[in-house]
Amino acid sequence: MDKDIRDILKNNTNNNVEISSKHRERFQQKLLSELHEKPNKKKNYKWLYVAASIVLLVGVGIKFSQTNIEGESLPKITNSVELNNDSQISLGSISPELKTIESYYINTINYELSQLELTKENKELFDGYLTQLGLLTKEYKSLTQELNKKGINDDTINALIGNLQMRLQLLKRMQKQLHEFKNPNQNDTQTI
């Protein structure tokens, strides 16, 4: 019972079918509406804002973390001790409050280091202070090892915080002496 459509059209002589005048316009509108459906959902760009914020914070952190002065890079103080395995305890791993304190001091120390200006004239003074800073860093590492051996106690925690405070005070003192070294005339007028 297969019929060829050409035969049906040849046999159909009924040509009195009338199409309305707006038939073509309605057909095109229906066709366009079905082919080009508009999405109901608005795109959510909140993740893009979060990513941009993170990129901005990382960029600012990199800008202020390390500064090269006359080709020499300043040492960077790292958070606690480089741990060989994950089971070791550091000041920041004891509690969130101590982690905040440790982060504050480490970030302030790194910021102060980035603000120092190293020149050929003040290199000897600078090296002396960096040697003292290195000794305090070694002491901090040994205190962290003591914390791991003896366990958490108030004396060791206070010694760790005190070490961070001494390093920051040392940097402030070095900054003051470098400023006095840079401006010797201003220092003479103040002492008179």
Side-chain angles (χ1 to χ4, degrees):
M1 193 127 242
D2 291 338
K3 294 183 181 180
D4 190 10
I5 195 159
R6 288 176 271 181
D7 293 340
I8 295 172
L9 289 175
K10 283 181 188 177
N11 294 336
N12 188 5
T13 56
N14 190 3
N15 290 336
N16 55 0
V17 176
E18 292 185 26
I19 298 176
S20 70
S21 62
K22 295 186 178 183
H23 173 73
R24 177 173 230 134
E25 293 172 6
R26 283 186 288 148
F27 178 75
Q28 285 179 346
Q29 285 177 346
K30 284 184 179 180
L31 184 63
L32 288 174
S33 68
E34 286 185 20
L35 289 178
H36 302 290
E37 288 185 33
K38 294 180 181 177
N40 295 336
K41 210 179 195 187
K42 270 190 164 181
K43 293 192 178 192
N44 191 353
Y45 290 106
K46 288 183 181 179
W47 66 271
L48 191 59
Y49 297 132
V50 171
S53 299
I54 291 171
V55 168
L56 180 67
L57 288 174
V58 168
V60 169
I62 289 172
K63 170 70 176 155
F64 288 111
S65 67
Q66 293 179 339
T67 303
N68 286 340
I69 301 172
E70 291 188 14
E72 293 187 30
S73 63
L74 297 174
K76 184 176 180 185
I77 308 299
T78 57
N79 256 353
S80 68
V81 181
E82 291 85 20
L83 301 175
N84 294 334
N85 54 24
D86 295 334
S87 64
Q88 290 190 343
I89 302 169
S90 67
L91 184 62
S93 67
I94 295 172
S95 75
E97 293 84 9
L98 290 175
K99 183 176 181 106
T100 304
I101 291 170
E102 182 184 40
S103 298
Y104 167 76
Y105 279 111
I106 296 292
N107 291 336
T108 306
I109 289 169
N110 285 331
Y111 176 75
E112 293 296 330
L113 277 172
S114 70
Q115 297 302 309
L116 297 175
E117 295 180 28
L118 177 62
T119 61
K120 292 178 182 177
E121 293 81 27
N122 65 9
K123 183 165 177 45
E124 189 175 319
L125 177 70
F126 196 83
D127 288 340
Y129 273 104
L130 284 183
T131 303
Q132 291 177 356
L133 193 63
L135 292 173
L136 286 172
T137 304
K138 285 181 184 177
E139 182 183 333
Y140 186 84
K141 288 179 181 180
S142 68
L143 286 169
T144 304
Q145 289 173 354
E146 181 181 327
L147 183 71
N148 283 296
K149 288 179 185 174
K150 294 184 179 179
I152 300 170
N153 61 41
D154 289 340
D155 293 335
T156 308
I157 291 172
N158 289 335
L160 285 167
I161 294 172
N163 182 288
L164 290 170
Q165 289 172 342
M166 286 191 317
R167 283 196 268 175
L168 185 58
Q169 288 171 355
L170 182 70
L171 282 171
K172 293 280 188 183
R173 195 176 328 136
M174 178 171 62
Q175 201 172 37
K176 183 179 176 184
Q177 283 191 347
L178 287 173
H179 182 69
E180 290 173 359
F181 186 76
K182 189 176 181 181
N183 301 325
N185 295 338
Q186 185 180 15
N187 190 22
D188 291 338
T189 57
Q190 288 178 353
T191 55
I192 294 177

